[in-house]
Amino acid sequence: MPTSTAIFWPVIAQVMLVFCIYLLMMRRRFGAVRAGTAKAHDYKIPTIEPSPSATVARNLINQFELPLLFYLVCVLLYVTAGVSQAVVIIAWLFVLSRLAHAYVHVTSNRLMVRQRLFVVGFVLNFVLWMFFAAHLAMM
């Protein structure tokens, strides 16, 4: 597999995480309705949501914040032929940090652990953007 297209595997993994979070949210919401802790119409405009599904819903929102910058930089690196082994490794590390962040968020929801994992992903994303900037500067 060429290094240039290898950048898309971590992107695919990140997208799969989003799909998994969607499925988990649906499962927890249906479970809350079955358990009687919520009614189906509560989700029409969800202002109050049971905490098991609320944490997943919040995590889903997180998947469209920092990862959006990840998707963009990966595509930009590919389009400008800036993908290297180092970039692919950093991209995978970013995805692993997001997986760990999501896992903590939807299970124990330990804020300090979650915050540290977020910072790791933030820094890795920033590093990808610095690689892109350096690549552009050398073109």
Side-chain angles (χ1 to χ4, degrees):
M1 167 183 356
T3 301
S4 63
T5 57
I7 194 67
F8 293 119
W9 290 109
V11 169
I12 290 168
Q14 180 63 37
V15 169
M16 289 298 110
L17 172 61
V18 173
F19 286 129
C20 288
I21 297 297
Y22 267 116
L23 291 172
L24 181 61
M25 184 177 67
M26 287 188 296
R27 183 176 172 197
R28 289 199 180 169
R29 283 181 171 177
F30 287 134
V33 170
R34 275 193 296 266
T37 57
K39 294 183 172 97
H41 73 271
D42 292 343
Y43 298 110
K44 190 171 185 179
I45 302 175
T47 54
I48 299 174
E49 186 164 342
S51 74
S53 59
T55 56
V56 178
R58 180 66 190 129
N59 186 263
L60 184 60
I61 292 167
N62 289 169
Q63 299 308 326
F64 292 97
E65 294 171 349
L66 188 59
L68 179 65
L69 296 174
F70 170 72
Y71 300 137
L72 180 59
V73 77
C74 288
V75 169
L76 290 172
L77 283 161
Y78 175 77
V79 168
T80 61
V83 177
S84 65
Q85 280 188 314
V87 163
V88 172
I89 290 168
I90 294 165
W92 274 115
L93 291 173
F94 172 79
V95 171
L96 290 174
S97 76
R98 296 304 300 167
L99 284 166
H101 177 271
Y103 178 78
V104 170
H105 201 172
V106 302
T107 58
S108 68
N109 201 15
R110 293 179 55 205
L111 185 58
M112 292 308 293
V113 175
R114 206 175 90 210
Q115 179 188 26
R116 288 183 183 114
L117 290 166
F118 173 83
V119 169
V120 168
F122 178 86
V123 169
L124 290 166
N125 204 326
F126 180 78
V127 169
L128 285 172
W129 279 95
M130 291 301 97
F131 266 86
F132 178 61
H135 169 68
L136 284 182
M138 291 189 281
M139 287 181 83

